[in-house]
Amino acid sequence: MNPKEEKVKIITEEFDENDEDAGVGGQKKTSKMARQKRKKPVCGAGDPEMVSENPHLGNQPEPLQEDSDTRPLSMTTRRGPRSLPPIPSASRTGFAEFSMRERMREKLQAARSKAESTLLQEIPTPRPRRLQSPGEKELETEFGAEPGEEAQKTQQEDDSQSRSRVKFRDSVRKIKTKPPVPPGFPSAEEAYNFFTFNFDPEPEESEEKPKAKNRDGTTQEEEEGEEEEPPVQGIHKTDEQLLISATEAEAFLWGLDHAAADFVAVRPADYESAHVRLQMEKELLFVPSRLAVPTYKKLPENVQPRYLEDEGLYIGTRPDVPRTCQNIMENRLLTQEPGRRWFGDDGRIVALPNPIKPFPSRPPVLTQEQDFRAELETLYKKAVKYVHRSQHMIGSGDSPGNFQLDIDISGLIFTHHPCFSREHVLAAKLAQLYDQYLARHQRNKAKFLTDKLQALRNAVQTGLNPEKTHKSLDTTQKTINEYKSEIRQTRKLRDAEQEKDRMLLKTIIKVWKEMKSLREFQRFTNTPLKLVLRKEKVDQKADEEAYEAEIQAEISELLEEHMEEHEQKMEAYRAAYQQWKAWKKAQRAKKKKKKQAVEEHPEEEMGEPYPEEDPVKPVPPEPTDRALMEHQVRERAARSRRRPGEPLLVPELSLAGSVTPNEQCPRVEVLRREDVKRRSIYLKVIFNDKEVSRTDSRPLGADFRVHFGQIFNLQIFNWPESLTLQVYETVGHSGTTLLAQVFLPIPETTIVTGRAPIEEVEFSSNQHVTLDHEGVGSGMPFSFEADGSNQLILMTSGKVSNSVAWAIGENGIPLIPPLSQQNIGFRSALKRADAISSIGTSGLTDLKKLAKWAAESKLDPNDPNNAPLMQLISVATSGESYVPDFFRLEQLQQEFNFVSDEELNRSKRFRLLCLRSQEVPEFRNYKQIPAYDREIMEKVFQDYEKRLRDRNVIETKDHIDPHRAMVAKYLQQVRESVINRFLIAKHHFLLSDLIVEEEVPSISILGLSLFKLAEQKRPLRPRRKGRKKVAAQNLSDGDIKVLVNIIRAYDIPVRKPTASKFQQPSRSSRTFSEKHAASPTTHSPTHSADYPLSQVLVRPFVEVSFQRTICHTTTAEGPNPSWNEELELPFRAPNGDYSTSSLQSVKDDVFINIFDEVLYDVLEDDRERGSGIHTRIERHWLGCVKIPFSTIYFQAKIDGTFKIDIPPVLLGYSKERSMIIERGFDSVRSLSEGSYITLFITMEPQLVPGESVREKELVARYVSLIPFLPDTVSFAGICDLWSTSDQFLDLLAGDEEEHAVLLCNYFLSLGKKAWLVMGSAIPEGPTAYVLTREQSHYLIWNPCSGHFYGQFDTFCPLKSVGCLIGPDNIWFNIQRHDSPLRINFDVTKPKLWKPFFSRSLLYPGLSSVQPEELIYQRTDKAAAAELQDRIEKILKEKIMDWRPRHLTRWNRYCTSALRHFLPLLERSRGEDVEDDHRGELLKQLGDYRFSGFPLHMPYSELKPLIEAVYSTGVHNIDVPNVEFALAVYIHPYPKNVLSVWIYVASLIRNR
Amino acid sequence: MAEVHVIGQIMGATGFSESSLFCKWGIHTGAAWKLLSGVREGQTQVDTPQVGDMAYWSHPIDLHFATKGLQGWPRLHLQVWSQDSFGRCQLAGYGFCHVPSSPGTHQLDCPTWRPLGSWREQLARAFVGGGPQLLHGDAIYSGADRYRLHTAAGGTVHLELGLLLRHFDRYGVEC
């Protein structure tokens, strides 16, 4: 029951209810009503209107009955189960009078008004019960069967069970029996019902049709309409209701109990037996027979069938229809349409020819075999592991395919091997020579050249006979000359060839003789080689004649040549002579003239020098001497040619000899043979630096040949970049050694398997092997002579015979990668083969390019393949207009372009954007780019363009010294190329670069954190804790600060009273050995007695300057002050770029200067002393520590005690040694001299770093004079490059490693035991030092400063030792400690040092990357002196610039004194001259009080020098009468290493 | 002289039968176009959806073009690949769409297809993986005679592209 129906029902019920309520006594009560009642409160009074309407409506249902008869069976059956409102069996009254529409309208109106009232009123009239009780339904169905009220009544009493079947049958009968009733006018009621109920949309009446459309829309109309019905029914059914009222009453009493049964009836499934159905169908259906219809039936009477086909007319093939089907059709047509028009003349059904085409008109489904367009070709690919290669990205347009390289390794022959005996060496040589001989013999160049010579001579002969030639004399002469020059050429070549041949033959014989004598000497043979010289007799006379004729011909030719030459010379001589004569004449004339001229214009003579020099009188050339020439020719012939009559010697090498068996050989030889047997060889095939396969290991034969005969098929995926074979040798059961690498060329694409020749590729190894048996070893000198002279050094070498070719696929296509995968390098190989590959597709439209290519590649113009190309080129080169017959893509581009290319390229904005995106250094840090071109200044590009322009121009302005400028330029270029390379690499990220995965906390971490809970909150000895690191790029100016914590200093020099002018404590300069003799007694307090302890010796304070920001501590007192102060210095990154790479390249240094604060009483009047204090504070520079910012950045913190760089001479100060009593350090401390300062430097916030002896002393000093340039500065954040010593010396810049390597090399060449120490030191961090071994102890050298420290020196900056590198091995520190104080440097102890090359990995005898020797050039002293002057001038200017408000006076006298003194300092390397120096200065400048110091630096460029002078703050003195002195001295060392001394002093005249 | 910024992302893909997907993408332009900054092509990560069936990549695209003409308006071509449990990659679909030509944000759905191959290849694909691929990747975005290809539908790639156009009005192009 669908919802609509339900609704309808409910509404009808309501009405019933109302009826009942109206309560004409004894009303029936259905359970349904009862329920309804309970559900809803009873409505108000009945509706009188309804009653009034009832009769009006009541009349109408009758026609429906009739109508329903006409309805199809299905309709009626469907109506059955539905709860249709009962159709009242009212009398039909004048249904025809009203048009249905009118009625409907009326009814709707009425219903609407009624519906309004129903809610308020009850229907007063008594209503008959109506519902779809079984009885009622029955009634409804009966309508279909029997019209009439009576029948309906009787039917009502029928058994409800049987109803439906009866009804069905009835309806069937009706269809059968009754002809369709013509449609009459439906009553209003009927029509209404029809529309309002859910009928199937099969209206039969035309009138009903318009309404039918509304049917489904459940509108108000319908509802209202329905409301009307029940009352109608009720009236007509009062009698019926009375009949059942008794039961209903009962039901009412029982309440709802019967409710379900009232609505639901259980019925059996309808079934009609098949027989019955067939019976019924028989009446309805017609079944045509299947039997063939006789022809006469199909044709008109008395007509014979006519067959058109037989008459010759064309009839198409009829469609293929089975005979039975045709029969059925024919039978049907005969019965249904007796007209016979469906039958043709032949009695068959008329049919069109078969419309079905024999072939499909749709394009056939493509099969794989059909040809694809190349670009749409697909290729089945196996699922492959992803290989990261940019080539496989989209857009590269190529796809890796299945390509194959076949590598055939047939074998290997050693031309030298360590196990070669001497005889083998000779045999190898002999074999080689013989091979050479065979090759030469085969080519027989000498013969060829001789023949050529002969031919040329003949040609000349014929050419000289003019009657034979028809050419003009001119051309003949020309050709003859050409011939002659060619004869000359050929003769020379022939002579050379002949000589070579002869030499070769001689050598072969010599080697064979040597071999024979060796065999005799050692009394055994190792090789089966045997040389047989076959003599071929020649006819002596003929030979002699030929020989002589040849010589004569040669002589005559030579003579002719000489004659020609002589002629030419004579010509030249004559010309010169004429000239000379003319000149002479002119000279004479001039002289005469001059004489006159002098008289007239005496002054003119002066300004007229002779333009050219006096020509020398030419000498006539000497004629040639025939005898001499003949002698020469004969001599040469004797040397290079076989003498006449001498038999021809043909050497033949065979392996027919026998080898002496083992038993008869001496022991050493047996050992050698056994060693050979133990050896085996295998090859590894390395493709693109990856091992792809290896051959079997084959034993080395006694003839030192190894046969492999293996073919490797390499299925390749990437374009081959390199193909290498590695030769490995296994000795016995020990490890294998790489003998050599053989680089095979990648075959050209034309070489495919089967066509590739076997090639022999030579290899050699630089292995050094010494053997303890007969084997000669490799790389070791040996000699055949008894006295050891004439030494030979042979390296292991050999030949691998192999062939490499591209494989051929199944279908004969070579498996070669497509061209697009190959890089440019391989293109050239194919250049000639294919135009497109060589100039690109675009080149085809560029005719010039094409023509050029065609000219270069020497296209065959007759090749029909090239015909269009040749024509094209001929047209193009002739300059005629040419209509292209190709199709150009985007041909209208030009018309549609907004702007031209030039304009696009001119756009500054676009250029800037592109440059920024290319990360060009100048523009890399641009954040924003102006939106308009006009906002971009032209000068933005100036620097960049200048740099591009100046790439090759060396500028000497900043560097003064041309060599340095060149080096700086070179460094810049290296840096650029490295940076460019790494820029690319930087964009390749690894997983770890992108994903930071926090470690899953494990038990141990949890445990640790638990321990931390129990930790003391304030430990007694606090330790510095690690801070959180901050990524650098989010920072801006002022965010980063450098914190310098100055803790204390030791051994600050103390003042010396100026009074001690005449006190010259002379100290004997100590010798080198004394210096580290570790005896504390040498430093006994000598001076301390002079000073009372209470006197303040020095008042040091520390000033830290960084990026020109200066901070200083408070002043402390005494030589061992303790400040414990933290200084904060702001840090500014260059250009505000805080990226990691930028920070790494910050070159600024943190200068920590120690000053002495000196107070001078300036009060001159003693009377004022009581009332005021006037003191002037002066500060005297004592020393400095310089720490590069990059170190701080990488180390994050620097914590330790540093040696203060104190100038060797500090006027007015001396070292006070007596004060070192505290903490009992003295015994160790005294080992090292100098002052120390304890510092802690860090950055706030912490940034994440990107990723640093006399004779000997001289050497160390030299090394330290080479400027220091950290790699992190050159190659910011990229990598660390180690250069070899020669590169380092050429560049004159490098960081610790280069310094250390060079120093270590120097020590080694001095015969010292020296090692490179890799470790970490302060302040450099990870660094390289040099360790040397003296008699009993070790010394540690700082290569950058040239200082050295004893192993047990507390203040040695080297804090940990990681490994030692010696010339032949590397040792790793596996001791418990790494501090040099606590470790043992004895590398022979395996428990302490783990060697890299050990027994498991033997030292393979690697050769050094360093050059054999270093070449030193003498530095130009004059240039150095010039540089010195320039530096001095610049520095003086600078100092004056720094004192803009004061007058800067220069004390010349002092300057010259200082200048004299500086060379002394250099000579003594800044040591032990202080006292002498001071004395001397005092003598000279006694009445001055002055402070000053020399600075010593290696020279790199000017800026550091200026910076160093600035940092000392000499210029800051503003005493009015101060004078300055500045001297510069440059000491040149070889190789342009310059040591710069700068002496700065300030002088104040004592009053 | 007009400029085009293409800023957006490859959101992800739906409708692929494979689960672990990644996408290679590229932008192809005509000769009149000049890339000022940004990368033309790239590859997303492999996404294995845990919830729902959409693989999310959210792969950024940021390109800045200068152009002297409208020809060769940028076109986006995509290759969706799937990675199986062995870590092998195979093609799941090719896709192509033009970069929108009006400024603003655009949600694009790019349907994909893949070559079907012969029945033998289909069978192999079903069992051992792999599958036919275009030999020349440019057929994805070029209008070659594709009717010869037999393809099967892949899923859809979803893109979100924002466009900023500049100075097109100078040359009479309204947008």
Side-chain angles (χ1 to χ4, degrees), chain A residues 1078-1093:
Chain A
S1079 73
T1081 52
T1082 52
H1083 307 290
S1084 56
T1086 49
H1087 316 292
S1088 62
D1090 299 345
Y1091 312 108
L1093 282 170

Side-chain angles (χ1 to χ4, degrees), chain A residues 844-848 850 867-886 888:
Chain A
L844 288 184
T845 58
D846 188 346
L847 288 174
K848 269 187 200 155
L850 195 65
L869 209 56
M870 290 315 290
Q871 189 202 349
L872 174 77
I873 290 161
S874 68
V875 172
T877 46
S878 64
E880 284 168 39
S881 68
Y882 169 67
V883 182
D885 58 355
F886 49 79
R888 192 202 292 269

